[in-house]
Amino acid sequence: MADDEQLRAALSEDLDAGFEALVRTHGDVVHAVARRTAERAADAEDLAAEAFLRAYRALRGYDPDRIARLDLRPWLLTILLNTARNDRRDAARRPRTDGAADPPDRASPAPGPAERAEGTDLGDRLAALLATLPVAQRTAVVLRHVVDLPVAEVAAVLACSEGTARSHAARGLAALRTRLTSTEETS
């Protein structure tokens, strides 16, 4: 796996080859965050692809000095989260024309009969509960505890101080614990 310094040099030297290496290096993290950020699981792959496309387009306009200053993983995740935010905003502005019901804004915390029948796996319950958190808390929890990014990178992605990033993650975890405990007590 190439480190960011090598990736930045490769991007400056040959954008296409460097970008391929960038996707190989950071693609798993981008996809993991997309799966936890997308409103619907089916949209995660499209979200990640759109984020990479936007990153490539941006890099085409960057000079080598700007590329050399990029902190690549937080930069990619910021693009991903902005793309998700834009998609949610655009979907709210456009009425559906296909006759289907609008998807819920968030996954329902209460599983339906099919979900209960398929399994009560803790991971599934946590994913559903995670979807109920406010965006900043959900993003901080995913980046810090699912993807295991350092607090400094979480703060860079959220465009906040490290203390605020820690606070978002801690509050998100506390809310998850409370909600998980309450769902276990009602089961």
Side-chain angles (χ1 to χ4, degrees), residues 64-94:
D65 290 335
R66 186 167 182 187
I67 291 172
R69 292 188 310 268
L70 283 176
D71 197 359
L72 293 170
R73 186 168 53 186
W75 177 73
L76 284 169
L77 294 174
T78 299
I79 291 171
L80 174 77
L81 295 173
N82 287 340
T83 302
R85 189 176 307 117
N86 291 344
D87 287 352
R88 283 191 301 272
R89 183 193 63 228
D90 292 347
R93 289 181 181 165
R94 276 180 279 150

Side-chain angles (χ1 to χ4, degrees), residues 65-148:
D65 290 335
R66 186 167 182 187
I67 291 172
R69 292 188 310 268
L70 283 176
D71 197 359
L72 293 170
R73 186 168 53 186
W75 177 73
L76 284 169
L77 294 174
T78 299
I79 291 171
L80 174 77
L81 295 173
N82 287 340
T83 302
R85 189 176 307 117
N86 291 344
D87 287 352
R88 283 191 301 272
R89 183 193 63 228
D90 292 347
R93 289 181 181 165
R94 276 180 279 150
R96 293 193 63 124
T97 59
D98 61 1
D102 288 334
D105 286 341
R106 296 183 178 191
S108 170
E115 289 84 7
R116 283 194 299 264
E118 286 180 8
T120 58
D121 181 46
L122 178 61
D124 292 341
R125 289 195 333 238
L126 283 174
L129 292 173
L130 188 63
T132 67
L133 293 178
V135 173
Q137 290 178 8
R138 177 177 54 214
T139 303
V141 168
V142 167
L143 295 178
R144 182 70 186 110
H145 299 287
V146 176
V147 181
D148 202 28

Side-chain angles (χ1 to χ4, degrees), residues 7 75 164:
L7 286 172
W75 177 73
T164 302

